[in-house]
Amino acid sequence: MSFQVFGIPVSRGVAIGRAVLVASSRVDVAHYFVPTAEVDSEYARLLQARDAVTRELQDLKADLPADAPHELDALLDVHLLLLNDEALVDAARQWIAERHYNAEWALSAQLEVLARQFDEMEDDYLRERKADLEQVVERVLSALGHGQNKGGAGAAVVVARDFAGEDPLLLVAADIAPADMIQFKRSVFQGFITDIGGKTSHTAIVARSMDIPAVVGTREASRLIRQDDWVIIDGDAGTVIVNPSPIVLEEYRFRQRQSELERARLARLRHTPAITLDGQRIELHANIELPGDAVAALDAGATGVGLFRSEFLFMNREGELPSEDEQFEAYRAAVEAMRGMPVTIRTVDVGADKPLDRMSVNELRHEHVLNPSMGLRAIRWSLAEPSMFRQQLRAIYRASAFGHVKLLVPMVAHLSEIKQVQEAIRRVKQQLDDAGQPYGLVELGVMVEVPAAALMLPMLLRHVDFISIGTNDLIQYTLAIDRADEAVAHLYDPWHPAVLQLLSSSIAQARAAGKGVSVCGEMAGDALFTDLLLGMGLNCFSMHPSQIPSVKQRVLRADTQRLAAAIPRIMESEEPGRVAVELLAAQRLH
Ligand code: PEP
Ligand code: MG
């Protein structure tokens, strides 16, 4: 039966493929395809793991003390039964044989199928056996070694796809943490659907950086969609169509082709400088998460990196934080890749919806913090971990010997924070001088993403070289809307008069002080806001590489003088969004 699920569109385009349901707790299980020649040995690997767990459970049963409760013995029998039921491992064989999934993926896919059947059972006792099944699968997964990533760069690496005609796969999950999402870069999945999340949650941001269609905040997609269902993701409308009819499918295939043609057309702008009709040069920079993303930035024609979210280097580390040398290599790689163009490295912004996944290092588990968005996040965390912070600063300064590096500090709300950063920089430079390590000139900037920073900007500007406006958080903190909470997503409004005030005054004040200013939040990459920001006097935008062409197209058709003339009326309006669309469109040359 065909049906639709509605959510929040976060990444444009149309994706058509088969649903792969993944429980949030199992997102970090390896997902890769095995070559045809290895299908049999992969199944043998699964059988071996099953047999190992069978022995383990039999040993446990044999070793039960005489006075152990009878229930324990019965429970082990249930686990043995589930483990050896053909509905589990035999059925997982199908996933390996037909879809070429690796053993861990096949087993988790089969678990999802069975878990759903358990959920639908009338009998309470039987329904509760789902937890036992999950424990059994967990044991087999550990016996498999959780699928050590053969590719080495994350759980979702594609190792081989040497069999013809496989269908595209779309990932469906209740939730995906940003740390897990980053693992899906270069993965087998061509689209994402989650139950949870808002337009600027970090999971959505990473999905957007992958430039594949995604819909979040659907609330119940993972409950309604079944393993292997055919699904269409309309990333522009935020709609998910499950088991579409042939006519609907054809319509979306047509739209998919249209959008590919449009992208190819825009890609031709790559080498065109972003100069407005009245001759203003506009810098279009890239937001990146990992040094390898610099390739996409260059391909898209970025003239620098405006935001390197360094915290992604700190995720998925199993308790170890990256050493100074490892960080230095990552920063240097990005700096060298950008060939002299500026690379703005933001110091770690962990906390809120980006917990370090193994935060036990600093006992900062997300769940234990009352209100993580307002807690020990970003620069607050760095200043609470001074040696870790200096290590990061040393790595950034060392990388500055290889190109043009700018240092950006997130979530600043107090002047004292900047002063502490400057003190840390002084110490780091001294240490590097003592060690004879070279470094270059590094400009210092702050992110304006807390209203306090925007309201006291003239003061902050005296101490820094540039600012970068993080509209994602600026909107969150100005409107008191959790950016990751789909329940209040309808109130997350970039057109809100208070947001426009803070944006326009920040841009104007930075310019008046002769300091650099850019916007690196999601507004910068949304062509809907390009005219508005140009009219406010912005001349540096930083966004996902895939967004550069459409923003550039807007820039090329804009006259900043005429756009600026429309801004006061927009700011005075009670409906700025509507008025802006009308007024700015009238000022633009189509
Ligand atoms: C922002 O807040 O707008 C920003 C760019 O930072 P992040 O999205 O990483 O919080
Ligand atoms: Mg931010």
Side-chain angles (χ1 to χ4, degrees), residues 11-311:
S11 192
R12 66 198 174 137
V14 171
I16 303 172
R18 293 217 184 245
V20 174
L21 268 97
V22 182
S24 305
S25 57
R26 266 174 217 91
V27 168
D28 68 347
V29 161
H31 296 77
Y32 57 85
F33 293 116
V34 291
T36 308
E38 288 175 25
V39 162
D40 289 341
S41 58
E42 191 65 6
Y43 179 54
R45 197 164 76 82
L46 180 60
L47 286 181
Q48 265 172 23
R50 196 257 323 257
D51 294 344
V53 174
T54 305
R55 282 193 300 278
E56 201 178 297
L57 292 175
Q58 280 166 344
D59 289 350
L60 273 174
K61 207 169 128 58
D63 293 345
L64 276 182
D67 57 350
H70 167 68
E71 289 80 9
L72 220 56
D73 191 46
L75 189 72
L76 287 170
D77 281 336
V78 169
H79 281 203
L80 277 163
L81 234 120
L82 290 168
L83 177 64
N84 289 287
D85 193 306
E86 61 185 27
L88 189 62
V89 172
D90 287 359
R93 178 188 199 158
Q94 299 288 100
W95 296 107
I96 301 176
E98 286 169 19
R99 297 236 172 275
H100 289 221
Y101 290 1
N102 61 303
E104 292 82 351
W105 184 2
L107 192 62
S108 343
Q110 188 55 22
L111 171 64
E112 288 306 314
V113 172
L114 296 176
R116 202 172 280 252
Q117 291 173 6
F118 275 98
D119 284 341
E120 284 163 6
M121 285 176 183
E122 305 258 304
D123 185 298
D124 285 351
Y125 173 81
L126 289 177
R127 207 172 44 243
E128 281 157 19
R129 300 286 65 79
K130 181 174 118 176
D132 294 307
L133 179 69
E134 285 171 340
Q135 284 170 22
V136 166
V137 166
E138 206 47 64
R139 274 183 190 272
V140 183
L141 285 173
S142 1
L144 283 164
H146 254 267
Q148 260 83 44
N149 302 308
K150 290 193 188 173
V157 174
V158 187
V159 168
R161 18 190 350 163
D162 71 337
F163 59 104
E166 84 269 15
D167 304 317
L169 299 175
L170 313 181
L171 186 102
V172 185
D175 189 18
I176 309 176
D180 290 322
M181 197 65 168
I182 199 82
Q183 305 229 44
F184 288 116
K185 282 208 178 202
R186 292 178 291 126
S187 82
V188 294
F189 300 112
Q190 297 184 18
F192 291 89
I193 304 165
T194 62
D195 295 349
I196 293 184
K199 210 178 178 92
T200 62
S201 62
H202 281 94
T203 299
I205 288 176
V206 180
R208 208 169 292 133
S209 78
M210 292 158 70
D211 196 22
I212 53 177
V215 174
V216 302
T218 58
R219 288 165 183 256
E220 46 183 9
S222 75
R223 196 176 57 77
L224 298 173
I225 301 174
R226 290 173 183 266
Q227 201 75 263
D228 234 23
D229 274 349
W230 272 100
V231 171
I232 297 173
I233 298 178
D234 182 341
D236 299 302
T239 323
V240 176
I241 304 165
V242 187
N243 296 323
S245 67
I247 293 177
V248 172
L249 201 59
E250 202 33 60
E251 157 79 19
Y252 275 92
R253 287 205 196 283
F254 175 74
R255 283 177 50 181
Q256 209 174 20
R257 285 193 295 274
Q258 292 296 102
S259 115
E260 276 155 20
L261 285 175
E262 173 65 7
R263 277 174 194 230
R265 190 182 66 75
L266 284 177
R268 285 192 232 123
L269 295 177
R270 181 183 167 210
H271 297 294
T272 311
I275 297 177
T276 61
L277 293 173
D278 55 326
Q280 302 291 322
R281 188 187 162 93
I282 307 297
E283 299 301 328
L284 300 183
H285 288 178
N287 290 355
I288 65 171
E289 278 87 38
L290 296 170
D293 298 340
V295 175
L298 288 171
D299 275 355
T303 51
V305 167
L307 175 65
F308 180 166
R309 288 185 162 98
S310 70
E311 56 274 12

Side-chain angles (χ1 to χ4, degrees), residues 346 349 377 449 473 483:
R346 180 174 74 180
D349 179 6
R377 179 185 167 187
E449 47 185 354
D473 277 314
R483 59 195 263 197

Side-chain angles (χ1 to χ4, degrees), residues 352-518:
D353 69 334
K354 273 180 297 191
L356 285 182
D357 52 343
R358 314 291 182 259
M359 250 182 161
S360 50
V361 186
N362 297 290
E363 287 162 1
L364 275 171
R365 283 202 158 275
H366 194 209
E367 312 89 70
H368 297 162
V369 183
L370 287 179
N371 191 339
S373 294
M374 298 200 178
L376 201 58
R377 179 185 167 187
I379 188 58
R380 302 170 181 182
W381 187 77
S382 294
L383 293 175
E385 297 282 335
S387 65
M388 193 286 314
F389 187 45
R390 282 196 301 275
Q391 193 181 51
Q392 178 168 39
L393 291 177
R394 272 195 304 274
I396 294 173
Y397 265 80
R398 284 170 59 193
S400 72
F402 296 85
H404 184 174
V405 171
K406 297 168 83 172
L407 179 71
L408 182 59
V409 186
M411 213 190 168
V412 168
H414 301 262
L415 202 53
S416 60
E417 288 162 339
I418 278 300
K419 294 193 172 165
Q420 288 177 74
V421 170
Q422 284 167 327
E423 178 51 32
I425 291 173
R426 261 191 295 279
R427 283 189 60 182
V428 159
K429 282 163 90 173
Q430 187 62 54
Q431 288 169 342
L432 293 175
D433 288 340
D434 293 347
Q437 297 257 28
Y439 57 88
L441 254 185
V442 177
E443 289 156 74
L444 175 64
V446 284
M447 289 202 64
V448 173
E449 47 185 354
V450 178
L455 293 169
M456 61 179 287
L457 199 57
M459 228 175 266
L460 287 175
L461 281 166
R462 283 186 225 132
H463 300 267
V464 297
D465 304 305
F466 69 98
I467 62 165
S468 187
I469 306 174
T471 47
N472 306 337
D473 277 314
L474 189 61
I475 298 169
Q476 152 163 280
Y477 293 123
T478 303
L479 304 182
I481 299 295
D482 188 332
R483 59 195 263 197
D485 184 351
E486 71 281 359
V488 286
H490 60 293
L491 296 172
Y492 187 95
D493 179 15
W495 292 109
H496 191 289
V499 172
L500 298 185
Q501 287 291 345
L502 294 176
L503 253 174
S504 120
S505 66
S506 300
I507 296 169
Q509 286 169 355
R511 290 199 59 156
K515 304 283 167 106
V517 49
S518 73

